[in-house]
Amino acid sequence: MGQTLTGLLTSVRAIAGRPGTPAQSRPGGGPDQALLAALRLCGDHLSALAAAGPLTDARRTRLIASIGALTTACSTPGADAFDALLRTGQQALDSGGEAEARLALALADEATALRARSKGAWRLRGNALDALGRGEEAITAYERHLALQQNTAASRDVERRIATLRAAGDRIDEALTLFRAGADTGADTEASGAAARLSRHLPAAEARAAFTGLVRLRTAEHGAGDPAVRRLAALYAEHRRLSDRDPVADPLLGGAEPIGVPGLRRLVAGRTVCLVADTPRTAEQEQRPGSPLAALIEGYDLVVRCDEARHTAPAARTDLHACTLRGDTPWKGPRWDRRAGARLVFGDPLPHWRLALRSRLVPGAQDRVGDATLRRPLHDPALLGEEAGAGPASTAYTVLRLLDFLGTPARVDLIGFEGPAALSPREREWVGTRTANTDDTAVRITLR
């Protein structure tokens, strides 16, 4: 990380002071008091981490690196440390622990104090409250974010989350109404006590425990066959599902067809395929009217593009889009809204892959979606079955190996994959052993 945990804590204390003491004033001014307060909070967290013993969690290591970047920004004259503050808060959330969620919330509070009209700060606050199970407060923060957010597409995830949190609260309200309608007037039962403890304003864990207790006691009093008890159990089940994950707006994904190994083999059989690199040079030439490269790409039966497009034009033809899930929370990435004929998502473990598809696929953005048999072609014993120790593979390499395994395309070309950064040495070596022709003019590699 560039500095030890103890060294970073010393730097933080030197800039922000120790808990309960004001930071030392410096000539020429310094960071805003809210930033210094945020740094002190980070110092407290670093102190707790140091006391806990050696670090073995990569996510906490990345959080420490983010605190280091925030410390550097706060100690650099003229630097804008606000973005570093938000990144540190987000990294704290991504670390996954309750202490880290509390740190994220505290940093979000300082961020909103610094810039009350920052949509990023309110989004961070909503996410932190949500992670802590404080749904009603999270809704308020999310609504502040939406009031500042001008991008309609970027608002959809937040709108869905608000709808989920409200729906979960509505199930509690309906359960309480149902209980009161069937309760004996003035009766002091255990179920009455459980109902009195249940509220949509409780933290999620407490609400779940109170709801569980109410269902258990009501079932014991009236039996599982009682219509009111059955409805109460159904409300409880719906509340649990909503607490665990957001509902999918369109479970059928606009009629997209699942495609497995046999279906993909038929899709590419006898067809010419090109994998187009997402580079500034390739994108510029492809968008130029009448360019030789644009005509070359248009001549293929299937055009394949990989991962998130940074340079390729939004309307560029994509017959097959492939992407690889990265990081600890891959379901939180941007949604796959670029139009594609078919979309393959590579990732492991299976629960993460499923959650990413639920969260990031956009109904109507693809006609076919790769199923679980295609999610790990390099390591699946039914496909290539390689050992996992060789390190992460690029998406383009995974697609090439999969097409080579299927063996049905008439031709597979790489376009724009020039330079050592395009593929790793191991991947370039594999491509080199199968290269039948290299066209420097079109920057094309033809595989045998």
Side-chain angles (χ1 to χ4, degrees):
M1 289 185 298
Q3 61 186 140
T4 65
L5 178 57
T6 303
L8 177 57
L9 180 57
T10 301
S11 299
V12 170
R13 296 300 193 213
I15 298 171
R18 293 183 175 276
T21 63
Q24 296 181 353
S25 60
R26 298 193 300 279
D32 188 284
Q33 288 301 312
L35 279 174
L36 295 177
L39 265 186
R40 282 193 288 272
L41 292 166
C42 291
D44 296 343
H45 192 76
L46 290 174
S47 180
L49 289 179
L55 284 174
T56 58
D57 189 333
R59 294 175 297 180
R60 289 182 174 174
T61 302
R62 288 193 289 271
L63 172 57
I64 293 170
S66 292
I67 294 175
L70 175 60
T71 306
T72 301
C74 288
S75 61
T76 304
D80 184 359
F82 187 76
D83 286 345
L85 174 61
L86 293 185
R87 284 193 295 271
T88 302
Q90 187 57 53
Q91 191 60 62
L93 265 185
D94 292 343
S95 297
E98 183 178 349
E100 285 74 17
R102 288 197 300 269
L103 173 63
L105 177 58
L107 296 182
D109 288 341
E110 301 301 337
T112 55
L114 273 170
R115 299 184 187 177
R117 293 188 58 80
S118 167
K119 58 181 180 290
W122 286 107
R123 175 74 180 267
L124 176 62
R125 190 171 198 278
N127 288 343
L129 288 164
D130 203 350
L132 290 167
R134 295 159 61 178
E136 295 299 311
E137 295 173 84
I139 289 174
T140 302
Y142 284 146
E143 287 176 335
R144 290 290 299 271
H145 165 81
L146 290 179
L148 298 165
Q149 177 63 267
Q150 302 299 316
N151 187 338
T152 304
S155 302
R156 290 171 185 156
D157 288 343
V158 176
E159 291 170 348
R160 277 196 300 272
R161 187 58 189 158
I162 290 175
T164 299
L165 291 172
R166 282 186 172 145
D170 291 345
R171 300 307 184 274
I172 291 178
D173 288 346
E174 185 179 344
L176 291 173
T177 301
L178 183 68
F179 172 79
R180 295 184 187 114
D184 296 333
T185 304
D188 184 15
T189 64
E190 285 189 83
S192 298
R197 291 190 296 272
L198 180 60
S199 168
R200 68 185 300 156
H201 299 284
L202 286 174
E206 295 179 30
R208 177 177 294 185
F211 208 160
T212 302
L214 177 62
V215 173
R216 177 177 57 80
L217 292 169
R218 206 63 173 159
T219 303
E221 289 176 1
H222 297 277
D226 182 81
V229 171
R230 293 173 62 184
R231 178 56 186 160
L232 182 64
L235 290 169
Y236 173 73
E238 291 173 18
H239 178 267
R240 288 294 299 263
R241 282 195 295 270
L242 290 166
S243 299
D244 291 339
R245 58 178 182 265
D246 293 345
V248 177
D250 182 357
L252 298 180
L253 295 172
E257 173 191 352
I259 184 173
V261 174
L264 182 62
R265 180 178 281 115
R266 289 192 298 270
L267 179 66
V268 301
R271 309 181 81 177
T272 56
V273 181
C274 71
L275 273 73
V276 182
D278 180 38
T279 64
R281 177 184 175 188
T282 303
E284 188 274 330
Q285 292 186 31
E286 187 179 1
Q287 294 174 52
R288 190 187 307 158
S291 72
L293 184 62
L296 174 68
I297 293 174
E298 191 59 32
Y300 285 90
D301 296 321
L302 285 173
V303 177
V304 182
R305 303 183 194 270
C306 298
D307 296 318
E308 183 180 355
R310 292 178 171 82
H311 308 287
T312 306
R317 174 186 164 196
T318 305
D319 300 305
L320 175 62
H321 173 243
C323 56
T324 302
L325 301 178
R326 311 283 188 190
D328 298 316
T329 54
W331 54 87
K332 293 184 178 179
R335 305 191 79 204
W336 299 306
D337 54 4
R338 181 180 290 258
R339 186 76 178 98
R343 200 176 310 277
L344 302 181
V345 180
F346 305 130
D348 214 20
L350 181 59
H352 287 189
W353 178 84
R354 285 174 172 160
L355 186 54
L357 262 61
R358 287 178 55 89
S359 304
R360 299 177 63 181
L361 284 175
V362 176
Q366 57 281 309
D367 301 320
R368 301 178 181 87
V369 180
D371 66 15
T373 64
L374 290 168
R375 68 182 178 86
R376 50 193 297 268
L378 292 181
H379 309 304
D380 191 334
L383 298 176
L384 293 163
E386 292 186 351
E387 294 292 333
S394 69
T395 303
Y397 178 70
T398 303
V399 172
L400 287 174
R401 294 297 307 275
L402 179 57
L403 293 175
D404 182 67
F405 172 81
L406 296 175
T408 56
R411 173 174 175 166
V412 179
D413 288 355
L414 291 169
I415 295 180
F417 283 84
E418 72 276 17
L423 298 169
S424 70
R426 173 177 69 97
E427 295 171 353
R428 295 193 70 83
E429 180 181 359
W430 183 90
V431 170
T433 62
R434 287 160 176 78
T435 298
N437 179 53
T438 301
D439 185 342
D440 293 331
T441 303
V443 197
R444 174 175 55 176
I445 303 170
T446 302
L447 301 184
R448 288 194 292 269

